[in-house]
Each structure stands twice: as C-alpha cells, then as structure tokens.
C-alpha cells in the first residue's frame, strides 16, 4: 500500500508535535514530505529532521535555516533546508505530497494554506483563526478547487465524525444540516482553569495560572483563550461556517470533564455524542487516517472511573469574551477579523504581564466597538484589516495604563 505523504505546517507547535507522534506509531502508513516551522526552536527542528527524515524542512527566516542546515550537515542528514514564504507555499502545494496539516496560530500561515487549497489537497485544519477571519471566502475556495477539509480541533472534529460519511465532503453546503436531518449541534467547553475562581479575584490571575488547563495540554495562546472562553467563541463562529448553521441551531455548554466534545441532534430525537479522553491526538489521528481509523496512542475511557458528567450554562460575567465573539458574528466579517486580531494582541500583552487577565475582555470590547472598518472582499483586504487592528490595539494599550 502506498504511504500517505504529509506536510506539517507548524511542526514545532503542540499540534505538530502530536501529529509526528501519531505518525511515528504508524510508519507503515505515512511518510513526511516536509516540515515547516515559524519559530526559532532549532534544536527541536533538528531532532524532528533526524528522526523523521523529511524530504524538506523550511523555516521562514534565513538565519534559522542556516543554523539548522549546519546541524543537519553535522549529523549527515539528507533533508534539504529551505527558507522563506515562497518555498513554504511550494511545499504546501507540491504534487509530491497528499496532506497538509495546518497547525499554525493566527493568520501566519494563510498563504500556505490557500496554496494547498488551490492545489486540491487534503487539509487537516487545526487553525480556527484563519477560518473565522476568511469566513465564507475560505469555504468557497475549498469548494472551488475541490480540496478536502477535515477540522482537527476536537469539537469540530467531533461534529464532523457524527455526520453521514456521504456528507463529510460537503462542508460549507448551505443545506448541509437539513440534508443530514440534523436539527442542532452542541459544542462543549471545559470552562478553563478559572471556572470556580471568585469573580472578584479574576484580575489577580497570572499567565502561569491561566495556562494551567485542568484537562488539556495546549500552547500558551490557546490556553489563554480557553481561560477566557474566546476559544469557544471562535469555535462557535467556525461551526457556523463549516456546517452552515444558524444561531438557533448551535448550543454551547460548559462540560468540566471534557469527555463529550460535541453532540449532534437528529430530527428523530436521537443525539450522537462524541466521547474520548481530552487528548487532541484522537482527532488528529482521525484526520490523518480518514476514511480509515488508525492507532493514536490515546488513553481509552474507563467508564467505571467516571463518577459523573456535568453540564452548565456559560456565565456572561465570567466569560465576556465568549459573548463578544457571538456579537462580532452578528455584526459581520470585518468585525470578526477585528475581534480575532485585537484578542491576539491582548493575549500576547497578558502573557508579557503588561495587562491583567480581566483586561483582555475590556480591550477586546473597546476595539470591537470603536474600530471602524469596511467588509473585506479578498485575502489582501482581510490582512489589511488585521494589520490595522493590531496597530490600533497596541496604541490603545500603550496609551492606557492597564497594569
């Protein structure tokens, strides 16, 4: 059987590392065509090249590429080292590879992902920011170029798995839920590490505390978004796009145990609940192996150790960022881009101890309500809005003493 050739965009991040771990357990099925990394973790990139022997490795800047090449030459590794956006686009769309795992954060990988779409590749999408910022344009490009999209964040993947198999290749179809006889979808969220912290104490929470998720092991940015539940707000927006759901068809519940990742209501009264341990490897493995299932190495659920499964409403006072995301989705695509961009700046400022945890929501709300934009029509206009919002947010933070 021919192996599936994989390119990983964001190989040194959490998703990239977990993807490689699954591939290592299924070396008879997969081969690594290329690893693309944004950061400067040369030691990790060297280790990945030596272990997986990809055809290519690509960094964005030339200095990282030079350091990496020196390391690989020393170890007599034959992996070719490239750098720059042009090469990253070529690797993401090469006819020699089958699947792109899109695991970057924010809009950083936007051109590489669209290069893969235009080449009709199978795309495993972990990046919600690009999807929500590009909106319908993203889904139209998937359809136009007959690319195959499989979301691999746990909640959207859980919904995807609950769809009839003949409908899984029709994401973005305006009548998808009706054709599937689905009356509604339910997303769940853990509530993050501050679910029980008194509201009056939230402003004292540190980046270290916010990153200490009770169930999941994730990168810093998504960990903060989980604590504010902005992550769930972005998932709400993404779910509307992926499954063409209206607000009345989506319900979001707090589920502290993170065992049920999503549920799908069918018109006959049935509810399909997707359950697994809180480990992103489950959904990554599903995407990699699709339409077959492969070994992920994830711990199986022991039902005798589950005392209970709880569900709660989402408090507007505790999680204002979640409700800002819903508001932005009602405003329009430009406002969604605005909220996503300002949130990234606010989260980075919090991680640098420049603002308090509760300031993230205050900054997001201020920028969403005061920054004036026109609705975008293409990628260039999307990126322009993103850039202008970041400048506006940084200036607002600089002129106001939050900390």
């Amino acid at each position: 059987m021919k192996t599936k050739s994989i390119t990983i965009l964001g190989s040194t991040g959490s998703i990239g590392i977990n993807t490689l771990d699954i591939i290592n357990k299924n070396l008879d099925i997969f081969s690594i065509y290329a690893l693309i990394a944004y950061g400067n973790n040369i030691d990790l990139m060297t280790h990945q090249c030596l272990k997986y022997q990809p055809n290519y490795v690509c960094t964005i800047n030339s200095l990282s590429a030079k350091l990496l090449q020196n390391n690989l030459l020393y170890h007599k590794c034959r992996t070719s080292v490239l750098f720059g956006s042009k090469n990253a686009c070529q690797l993401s769309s090469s006819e020699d590879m089958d699947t792109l795992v899109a695991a970057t954060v924010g809009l950083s990988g936007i051109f590489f992902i669209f290069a893969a779409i235009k080449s009709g590749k199978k795309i495993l999408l972990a990046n919600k920011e690009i999807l929500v910022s590009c909106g319908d344009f993203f889904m139209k490009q998937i359809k136009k170029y007959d690319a195959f999209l499989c979301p691999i964040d746990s909640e959207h993947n859980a919904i995807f798995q609950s769809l009839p198999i003949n409908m899984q290749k029709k994401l973005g179809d305006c009548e998808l839920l009706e054709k599937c006889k689905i009356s509604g979808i339910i997303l769940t969220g853990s509530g993050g590490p501050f679910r029980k912290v008194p509201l009056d104490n939230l402003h004292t929470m540190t980046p270290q505390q916010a990153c200490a998720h009770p169930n999941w092991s994730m990168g810093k940015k998504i960990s903060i978004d989980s604590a504010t539940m902005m992550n769930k707000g972005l998932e709400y927006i993404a779910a509307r796009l992926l499954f063409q759901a209206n607000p009345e068809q989506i319900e979001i519940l707090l589920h502290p145990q993170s065992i049920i990742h999503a549920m799908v209501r069918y018109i006959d009264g049935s509810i399909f609940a997707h359950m697994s341990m809180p480990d992103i490897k489950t959904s990554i493995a599903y995407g990699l192996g699709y339409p077959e299932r492969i070994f992920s190495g994830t711990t199986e659920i022991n039902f005798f150790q589950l005392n209970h499964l709880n569900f709660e409403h989402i408090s507007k006072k505790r999680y204002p960022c979640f409700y800002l995301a819903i508001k932005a989705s009602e405003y329009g695509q430009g406002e969604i881009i605005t909220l996503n961009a300002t949130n990234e700046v606010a989260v980075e400022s919090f991680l640098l101890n420049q603002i308090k945890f509760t300031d993230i929501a205050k900054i997001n709300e201020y920028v969403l309500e005061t920054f004036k934009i026109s609705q975008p029509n293409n990628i260039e206009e999307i990126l322009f809005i993103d850039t202008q919002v970041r400048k506006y947010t940084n200036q607002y933070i600089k002129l106001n003493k939050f900390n």
Side-chain angles (χ1 to χ4, degrees):
M1 182 178 68
K2 181 183 176 182
T3 59
K4 297 180 180 180
S5 182
I6 311 295
T7 289
I8 301 177
L9 177 58
S11 69
T12 58
S14 175
I15 300 293
I17 292 171
N18 279 298
T19 300
L20 286 169
D21 184 68
I22 294 169
I23 289 173
N24 189 53
K25 294 177 171 67
N26 297 274
L27 293 176
D28 58 325
I29 304 174
F30 304 105
S31 64
I32 302 296
Y33 176 71
L35 300 176
I36 304 172
Y38 268 82
N40 299 309
N41 194 337
I42 306 302
D43 289 341
L44 178 54
M45 293 172 70
T46 300
H47 170 75
Q48 290 178 345
C49 289
L50 294 178
K51 184 171 183 177
Y52 296 100
Q53 300 289 311
N55 297 75
Y56 300 95
V57 62
C58 184
T59 68
I60 301 306
N61 68 76
S62 58
L63 178 59
S64 294
K66 185 175 182 180
L67 293 172
L68 179 59
Q69 187 167 41
N70 289 338
N71 285 356
L72 298 187
L73 286 173
Y74 176 80
H75 291 285
K76 298 181 180 180
C77 178
R78 295 182 179 180
T79 297
S80 297
V81 180
L82 306 174
F83 71 90
S85 296
K86 182 178 179 179
N87 283 318
C89 278
Q90 291 176 345
L91 293 175
S92 298
S93 58
S94 172
E95 62 181 16
D96 295 322
M97 72 92 177
D98 309 301
T99 301
L100 177 74
V101 179
T104 52
V105 175
L107 299 186
S108 57
I110 188 169
F111 288 111
F112 315 145
I113 294 174
F114 274 96
I117 291 173
K118 290 179 180 179
S119 297
K121 299 299 181 184
K122 175 182 177 181
I123 299 167
L124 308 186
L125 187 67
N127 184 307
K128 288 184 287 292
E129 292 88 349
I130 288 178
L131 176 58
V132 301
S133 292
C134 293
D136 285 331
F137 177 74
F138 186 98
M139 300 308 300
K140 288 177 181 177
Q141 294 292 294
I142 290 286
K143 184 175 182 179
K144 178 179 179 179
Y145 294 101
D146 197 29
F148 175 68
L149 178 65
C150 178
I152 58 171
D153 64 299
S154 61
E155 291 78 10
H156 297 133
N157 186 263
I159 298 169
F160 184 87
Q161 291 196 42
S162 300
L163 297 177
I165 192 166
N166 66 317
M167 299 303 296
Q168 290 176 329
K169 294 184 180 180
K170 297 184 179 182
L171 296 186
D173 186 318
C174 63
E175 297 179 349
L176 178 65
L177 297 188
E178 288 78 6
K179 291 176 180 177
C180 293
K181 309 300 181 183
I182 292 172
S183 60
I185 56 181
I186 303 170
L187 299 172
T188 64
S190 69
F194 304 149
R195 187 173 60 89
K196 293 294 186 181
V197 172
L199 293 176
D200 291 342
N201 294 346
L202 284 177
H203 72 285
T204 68
M205 297 296 101
T206 67
Q208 292 73 25
Q209 290 172 311
C211 287
H213 196 284
N215 301 331
W216 296 91
S217 175
M218 306 179 290
K220 290 183 179 180
K221 197 271 180 179
I222 194 172
S223 294
I224 304 302
D225 282 350
S226 179
T228 64
M229 284 201 76
M230 176 61 81
N231 188 47
K232 207 54 53 180
L234 296 178
E235 286 174 11
Y236 167 88
I237 297 171
R240 290 193 60 183
L241 288 165
L242 288 169
F243 310 109
Q244 291 297 295
N246 60 50
E248 291 72 31
Q249 292 173 311
I250 302 181
E251 186 178 358
I252 300 186
L253 303 174
L254 282 186
H255 171 48
Q257 293 82 17
S258 296
I259 295 296
I260 296 177
H261 306 296
M263 291 176 273
V264 174
R265 296 181 186 271
Y266 282 84
I267 61 173
D268 63 358
S270 301
I271 296 180
F272 286 17
H274 180 277
M275 306 174 69
S276 71
M277 294 297 287
D279 189 334
I280 194 64
K281 290 179 184 176
T282 300
S283 52
I284 296 173
Y286 181 84
L288 285 172
Y290 184 89
E292 305 294 332
R293 292 187 183 268
I294 62 174
F295 180 67
S296 70
T298 303
T299 303
E300 294 184 350
I301 295 174
N302 184 330
F303 286 97
F304 294 105
Q305 293 180 354
L306 291 180
N307 295 322
H308 49 264
L309 298 177
N310 291 351
F311 302 94
E312 305 169 12
H313 292 291
I314 300 175
S315 165
K316 195 168 187 176
K317 290 184 178 180
R318 185 175 297 277
Y319 302 110
C321 283
F322 169 75
Y323 289 94
L324 285 175
I326 294 178
K327 180 184 288 189
S329 72
E330 295 169 350
Y331 285 166
Q333 192 58 44
E335 287 78 8
I336 292 172
I337 299 168
T338 297
L339 183 61
N340 180 67
T342 193
N343 180 67
E344 287 193 19
V345 174
V347 168
E348 181 62 25
S349 297
F350 172 63
L351 286 169
L352 294 173
N353 291 300
Q354 295 172 349
I355 64 173
K356 296 181 176 67
F357 177 74
T358 49
D359 291 331
I360 296 175
K362 295 176 183 177
I363 293 167
N364 287 342
E365 182 174 23
Y366 176 83
V367 175
L368 178 63
E369 298 297 347
T370 61
F371 187 81
K372 305 302 179 184
I373 74 284
S374 300
Q375 299 304 318
N377 296 305
N378 51 52
I379 295 179
E380 288 72 24
E381 291 178 3
I382 290 168
L383 291 174
F384 178 77
I385 294 172
D386 180 82
T387 300
Q388 295 305 306
V389 170
R390 290 172 190 275
K391 290 179 180 178
Y392 185 82
T393 305
N394 276 312
Q395 184 179 29
Y396 176 64
I397 293 173
K398 185 178 180 180
L399 292 176
N400 293 270
K401 294 184 178 180
F402 285 96
N403 205 349

